Amino acid sequence: MKITLAETAGFCWGVQRAVDIVLDVSKKSGKPVFTHGPLIHNNQVLEELESKKIHEYKSGDIGSNTLVVRAHGIRPEVLDELKSKHKNVVDATCPLVTKVHRAIKKHQDQNFQVFIMGNEKHPEVVGLLGASKDRAIVIRDAIAAREYPQTFDKICLVSQTTQNDDDFEATARELKLKCKEFKAVNTICEPTRSHQIEVVDLALNNDLVIVVGGKHSSNTVHLKEVAERQGTRAIHIETEAELKKEDLLGVEKVGVTAGASTPQWMIQKVIDKLESFEEANKSLLYKFSKFILNTLVSTNLFTTTAFASIYLGNHIVSKTPVDYNFFWSVISIVFALHSINQFSLEGKFDRRSKLTPKVYEFVRKLISWFSFLLLFFGVSFGFYSSSIGSDLKGFGIILFSALCGVLYGWKIIPINWISRFGFSSIRDLPASKDLSVSFGWTLLSCGVPLAYSSGNLSPVWFLLIPFIFFIVYIRSAILGVRDAQGDRIVGIESSFKALGKNRSKKLVFSLIGASVLISLCLFLPFFGVSPVFGFLMLTITFVSGIIAHLYFQRILPANDLGHFLLDSQFVLPVFLYGILKLLGYA
Ligand code: SF4
């Protein structure tokens, strides 16, 4: 069975913006945050937000907590009332909805009778009606327009942002007959239009279209209708649990799309379920390999192996003998810090996990404790290794890295100072995750060997240090793209969120270009690097480029495979070089 995922499936720009605003306020204030109405029409996302103390506002005083107006917008007088009652009100109304508010006011001022095509009970339409001071007329569709009993001098038609272009045109044709002067302002938003164009394409090229999203989400319901209009069977599900094997009987090609309030991780779960139907027929070897891949990636074991490969690779390039005491010390620290930041500080149940919340919590605690123990072991072993050589420089670097790594997610700024500084931990700073990982990996993989071989300083380190920094930054930035496109709760700590898609893409490809140049320089005889290893290093930059392209184009799924491929590019060169050396070819 061929599965095709719509390119723009999932969170639209406006919903993503509202979620980001709420998470940002929650993070900066460290207090519960309230939203005016459910933030989005998706029960699973709402549950996740609840677990982060982001609640729907019911009534009463919220003190100094913040109230956020959701993407749908609200009636202007309600917004004014909220602002007069509460100290902190943040308006996260989608700018494309605000544009409709403005269009309504402008045309009313020009004496047009405004018609709004949409669902009068939908919160966005309630807000639009408010913008018209309840003078606009809401109609569902062309039939309602035809049957409307009255005529007017001037009519202006606008639309709820999540309606359909064909319906809008049909409604406009009917209303034109009811006035002397007619104006249609098509306010259907571009993300909705892209979703609908894609669903037509999916319907025309597949036997079945699966639409994932909240049952109350208007744009999700429309997607199903648009697919069915092409004569293709379509089903609307909220979660993967509703998907039955019988739905797929006789289906060879299935298209998957999702409403604007559906996170990517829910879409991924649906795709996983579809694949699991297929996997029942897959070999034991395939299932076993997939299990091993997921385990290696999710436990940070493969990430640590990638770091170990960089560490050993630096020794191969610089021809520095490996001190295995230090090696085990830094390996333990890298594993521990990644696990602490992933399991201990991020906390909370990860809904993408296949474990139940209870089991997840148990595993999380177990890994957290083990990681702190390992960190202690790594630092102590670093001290022991340094003291053998009676030079504490290596230990100093290890201790500094360990402290920075632990402090990364810790709230180091007191709550009442947060608004003054604008952040509470290092993690809240733009691109901090990518910068910290690159800085930490470079410090441990270059700084420690340099510390214990200071008598043998090779000029190749001048190339190696920026090269390692760049390729680790690229790796981390690409993982950020994967996480953001998978709607993991990623904040400005990732370059993707801090810089936006276009600028982070430019940055990643510029760094890849710089890494290619550096690795070409390594071929100069002056540096004495083995041409075989130089070539293997060059492949890292090309593999990074390909994976980055696949993620920016959303071709690779937001699962563990991309992570595995990214880290393999560091592991394979060292592994292959070892084999070639054993065989006498390097
Ligand atoms: Fe904004 Fe359109 Fe998304 Fe509504 S569907 S929040 S108008 S981008």
Coordinates of all heavy atoms in Angstrom, one line a residue, residues 469-505:
F469 N 32.7 22.2 15.0 CA 31.6 23.1 15.5 C 30.5 23.2 14.4 O 29.3 23.1 14.7 CB 32.2 24.5 15.8 CG 31.2 25.4 16.4 CD1 31.1 25.4 17.8 CD2 30.4 26.3 15.7 CE1 30.1 26.3 18.4 CE2 29.5 27.1 16.2 CZ 29.3 27.1 17.6
F470 N 30.9 23.4 13.2 CA 30.0 23.6 12.1 C 29.1 22.3 11.9 O 27.9 22.4 11.8 CB 30.6 23.9 10.8 CG 31.3 25.3 10.7 CD1 32.2 25.7 9.8 CD2 30.9 26.2 11.7 CE1 32.7 26.9 9.7 CE2 31.5 27.5 11.7 CZ 32.4 27.8 10.7
I471 N 29.8 21.1 11.8 CA 29.0 19.9 11.5 C 28.1 19.6 12.6 O 27.0 19.0 12.4 CB 29.9 18.7 11.0 CG1 30.9 18.4 12.0 CG2 30.5 18.9 9.6 CD1 31.6 17.1 11.8
V472 N 28.5 19.8 13.8 CA 27.6 19.5 15.0 C 26.4 20.5 15.0 O 25.3 20.2 15.3 CB 28.4 19.5 16.3 CG1 27.4 19.3 17.5 CG2 29.5 18.5 16.3
Y473 N 26.7 21.8 14.7 CA 25.6 22.8 14.6 C 24.6 22.4 13.5 O 23.4 22.4 13.7 CB 26.2 24.2 14.3 CG 25.2 25.3 14.5 CD1 25.1 26.0 15.7 CD2 24.3 25.6 13.5 CE1 24.2 27.0 15.9 CE2 23.3 26.5 13.7 CZ 23.3 27.2 14.9 OH 22.3 28.2 15.0
I474 N 25.2 21.9 12.4 CA 24.3 21.6 11.3 C 23.4 20.4 11.7 O 22.2 20.4 11.5 CB 25.1 21.1 10.0 CG1 25.9 22.3 9.5 CG2 24.3 20.5 8.9 CD1 27.1 21.9 8.6
R475 N 24.0 19.4 12.4 CA 23.3 18.2 12.9 C 22.1 18.7 13.8 O 21.0 18.3 13.6 CB 24.2 17.3 13.6 CG 23.5 16.2 14.4 CD 24.5 15.5 15.4 NE 23.8 14.5 16.2 CZ 23.2 14.8 17.3 NH1 23.1 16.1 17.7 NH2 22.6 13.9 18.0
S476 N 22.5 19.5 14.7 CA 21.5 20.0 15.7 C 20.4 20.8 15.1 O 19.2 20.6 15.4 CB 22.2 20.8 16.8 OG 21.3 21.1 17.8
A477 N 20.8 21.7 14.1 CA 19.8 22.5 13.4 C 18.8 21.6 12.6 O 17.6 21.9 12.6 CB 20.5 23.5 12.6
I478 N 19.4 20.6 12.0 CA 18.5 19.7 11.1 C 17.5 19.0 12.1 O 16.4 18.8 11.8 CB 19.3 18.7 10.3 CG1 20.2 19.5 9.3 CG2 18.4 17.8 9.6 CD1 21.2 18.6 8.5
L479 N 18.0 18.5 13.2 CA 17.1 17.9 14.2 C 16.0 18.8 14.6 O 14.9 18.4 14.9 CB 17.9 17.3 15.4 CG 18.8 16.1 15.1 CD1 19.6 15.7 16.3 CD2 17.9 14.9 14.6
G480 N 16.4 20.1 14.8 CA 15.4 21.1 15.1 C 14.3 21.2 14.1 O 13.2 21.4 14.4
V481 N 14.8 21.2 12.8 CA 13.8 21.3 11.7 C 12.9 20.1 11.8 O 11.6 20.2 11.7 CB 14.5 21.2 10.3 CG1 13.5 21.2 9.2 CG2 15.5 22.4 10.2
R482 N 13.5 18.9 12.0 CA 12.6 17.7 12.1 C 11.6 17.8 13.3 O 10.4 17.5 13.1 CB 13.5 16.5 12.4 CG 12.8 15.2 12.6 CD 13.6 14.1 13.3 NE 13.8 14.5 14.7 CZ 14.0 13.7 15.7 NH1 14.2 12.4 15.4 NH2 14.2 14.1 16.9
D483 N 12.1 18.3 14.4 CA 11.2 18.4 15.6 C 10.1 19.4 15.4 O 9.0 19.2 15.7 CB 12.0 18.7 16.9 CG 12.9 17.6 17.3 OD1 12.7 16.5 16.8 OD2 13.7 17.8 18.2
A484 N 10.5 20.6 14.8 CA 9.5 21.6 14.6 C 8.5 21.1 13.6 O 7.3 21.4 13.8 CB 10.2 22.9 14.1
Q485 N 8.9 20.5 12.5 CA 8.0 20.0 11.5 C 7.1 18.9 12.1 O 6.1 18.6 11.5 CB 8.7 19.7 10.2 CG 9.3 20.9 9.6 CD 9.8 20.8 8.2 OE1 9.9 19.7 7.7 NE2 9.9 21.9 7.5
G486 N 7.7 18.2 13.1 CA 6.9 17.2 13.8 C 6.1 17.7 14.9 O 5.5 17.0 15.7
D487 N 6.0 19.1 15.0 CA 5.3 19.7 16.1 C 5.6 19.3 17.5 O 4.8 19.3 18.4 CB 3.8 19.6 15.9 CG 3.3 20.2 14.6 OD1 4.0 21.1 14.2 OD2 2.3 19.7 14.1
R488 N 6.9 18.8 17.7 CA 7.3 18.6 19.0 C 7.3 20.0 19.6 O 7.5 21.0 18.9 CB 8.7 18.0 19.1 CG 8.6 16.6 18.5 CD 9.9 15.9 18.6 NE 9.7 14.6 17.8 CZ 10.3 13.5 18.1 NH1 11.1 13.4 19.1 NH2 10.0 12.4 17.4
I489 N 7.2 20.1 20.9 CA 7.1 21.4 21.5 C 8.5 22.0 21.5 O 9.2 21.9 22.4 CB 6.5 21.4 22.9 CG1 5.1 20.6 22.9 CG2 6.3 22.7 23.5 CD1 4.0 21.3 22.1
V490 N 8.8 22.7 20.4 CA 10.1 23.2 20.2 C 10.0 24.7 20.3 O 9.1 25.3 19.7 CB 10.7 22.9 18.8 CG1 12.1 23.3 18.7 CG2 10.5 21.5 18.4
G491 N 10.9 25.3 21.0 CA 10.8 26.8 21.2 C 12.0 27.4 20.4 O 12.6 26.8 19.6
I492 N 12.3 28.7 20.8 CA 13.3 29.4 20.1 C 14.7 28.9 20.4 O 15.7 29.4 19.9 CB 13.3 30.9 20.5 CG1 13.4 31.2 22.0 CG2 12.1 31.6 19.9 CD1 13.8 32.6 22.3
E493 N 14.8 27.8 21.3 CA 16.1 27.2 21.5 C 16.6 26.6 20.3 O 17.8 26.3 20.1 CB 16.1 26.2 22.7 CG 15.4 24.9 22.4 CD 13.9 24.9 22.8 OE1 13.4 26.1 23.0 OE2 13.3 23.9 22.9
S494 N 15.8 26.3 19.3 CA 16.2 25.7 18.0 C 16.4 26.8 17.0 O 15.6 27.8 17.0 CB 15.3 24.6 17.6 OG 14.3 25.2 16.7
S495 N 17.4 26.7 16.1 CA 17.6 27.8 15.1 C 16.4 27.9 14.2 O 16.0 29.0 13.8 CB 18.8 27.4 14.2 OG 19.9 27.1 15.0
F496 N 15.7 26.8 14.0 CA 14.6 26.8 13.0 C 13.5 27.7 13.6 O 12.9 28.5 12.8 CB 14.0 25.4 12.9 CG 12.9 25.2 11.9 CD1 13.2 25.2 10.6 CD2 11.6 25.1 12.3 CE1 12.2 25.0 9.6 CE2 10.6 25.0 11.4 CZ 10.9 25.0 10.0
K497 N 13.2 27.7 14.9 CA 12.2 28.5 15.5 C 12.7 30.0 15.7 O 12.0 30.9 15.5 CB 11.8 28.0 16.8 CG 10.7 26.9 16.7 CD 9.4 27.6 16.2 CE 8.4 26.6 15.8 NZ 7.8 25.9 16.9
A498 N 14.0 30.1 16.0 CA 14.6 31.4 16.3 C 14.7 32.2 15.0 O 14.5 33.4 15.0 CB 15.9 31.3 17.0
L499 N 15.1 31.6 13.9 CA 15.4 32.3 12.7 C 14.3 32.2 11.7 O 14.3 33.0 10.7 CB 16.7 31.8 12.1 CG 18.0 31.9 12.9 CD1 19.1 31.2 12.2 CD2 18.3 33.3 13.2
G500 N 13.4 31.2 11.8 CA 12.4 31.0 10.7 C 13.0 30.1 9.7 O 14.2 29.8 9.6
K501 N 12.1 29.5 8.9 CA 12.5 28.5 7.9 C 13.6 29.0 6.9 O 14.7 28.3 6.8 CB 11.3 27.9 7.2 CG 11.7 26.8 6.2 CD 10.4 26.2 5.6 CE 10.9 25.1 4.6 NZ 9.7 24.5 4.0
N502 N 13.3 30.1 6.3 CA 14.2 30.5 5.2 C 15.6 30.9 5.7 O 16.6 30.5 5.1 CB 13.6 31.7 4.5 CG 12.5 31.3 3.6 OD1 12.4 30.1 3.3 ND2 11.6 32.2 3.3
R503 N 15.7 31.6 6.8 CA 17.0 32.0 7.3 C 17.7 30.9 7.9 O 19.0 30.7 7.7 CB 16.8 33.2 8.4 CG 16.7 34.5 7.6 CD 16.8 35.7 8.6 NE 15.6 35.7 9.4 CZ 15.4 36.6 10.3 NH1 16.3 37.4 10.6 NH2 14.3 36.6 11.0
S504 N 17.0 29.9 8.6 CA 17.8 28.8 9.1 C 18.3 27.9 8.0 O 19.3 27.3 8.1 CB 16.9 28.0 10.1 OG 15.8 27.4 9.5
K505 N 17.5 27.8 6.9 CA 17.9 27.0 5.7 C 19.2 27.6 5.1 O 20.2 26.9 4.9 CB 16.8 27.1 4.7 CG 17.0 26.1 3.6 CD 15.7 26.1 2.7 CE 15.8 25.2 1.5 NZ 14.6 25.3 0.7

